[in-house]
Structure formats: structure tokens, C-alpha cells
Amino acid sequence: MPQIIPIRDLKNTSEISQLCHSTDNPVFITKNGYGDMVIMSIEAYEKAMFLQNVSEKLALAEKQIEAGEVTDAAESLKELRNKYGL
């Protein structure tokens, strides 16, 4: 369940920090009843960025497969071995 807190609670920095570190989910900050900001721990941010990067690479790979931009694995290994004298 998402954590939602009003902006006035940001003055309790140690409590906010503890809240961010207690969950992998972002903490949503509201201002005048509307969404204003999102905060999270560095660990949660890095994990989210890693997963986004992996998802982007997988999406690119799927597009390349659909476009036929692939080579045979055995042929690719043969080319690499020849290139590097292995």
C-alpha cells in the first residue's frame, strides 16, 4: 500500500528517512491535497533504475528479434573466436 504524507510532515526528517528505508515503495508527498513529490531511499531508487534498464534492454531485444536483426549463436561464436584467435 502506498505511503502518502502531507508536505508539512517533511520537517520530521529522521522519521521520513526511516519511513523511506522501511519499504521499497516510494513515499508520495501531497501539497494542499494534491500530489506534489515522490521520495524514496537510494537503495529503492537504484533497484528501480536497474529494473527499468533491464526492461528497456529486453524491449529493444524483442524489437530486434521481430525485425530479424539477429544472428545465429554458433555463427556469432565462430566470428568472435576468429576475431580474437581463440
Side-chain angles (χ1 to χ4, degrees):
M1 180 169 185
Q3 296 286 330
I4 303 170
I5 60 172
I7 199 165
R8 71 176 176 273
D9 287 354
L10 288 180
K11 58 187 164 189
N12 302 322
T13 55
S14 61
E15 290 177 21
I16 300 300
S17 176
Q18 186 178 19
L19 178 62
C20 288
H21 287 282
S22 69
T23 179
D24 282 339
N25 296 319
V27 177
F28 297 91
I29 311 299
T30 60
K31 183 177 181 181
N32 297 324
Y34 295 96
D36 188 50
M37 295 184 281
V38 176
I39 58 174
M40 60 177 50
S41 69
I42 289 176
E43 294 84 10
Y45 174 78
E46 289 174 344
K47 182 179 178 181
M49 291 299 102
F50 174 79
L51 292 174
Q52 179 182 349
N53 187 20
V54 169
S55 294
E56 289 172 357
K57 288 180 179 179
L58 288 172
L60 175 61
E62 288 176 357
K63 287 181 183 177
Q64 290 173 332
I65 290 169
E66 290 173 6
E69 299 171 0
V70 295
T71 58
D72 181 65
E75 184 63 32
S76 294
L77 285 174
K78 182 180 175 183
E79 289 176 14
L80 288 172
R81 287 183 178 126
N82 288 338
K83 181 177 179 180
Y84 294 105
L86 301 173

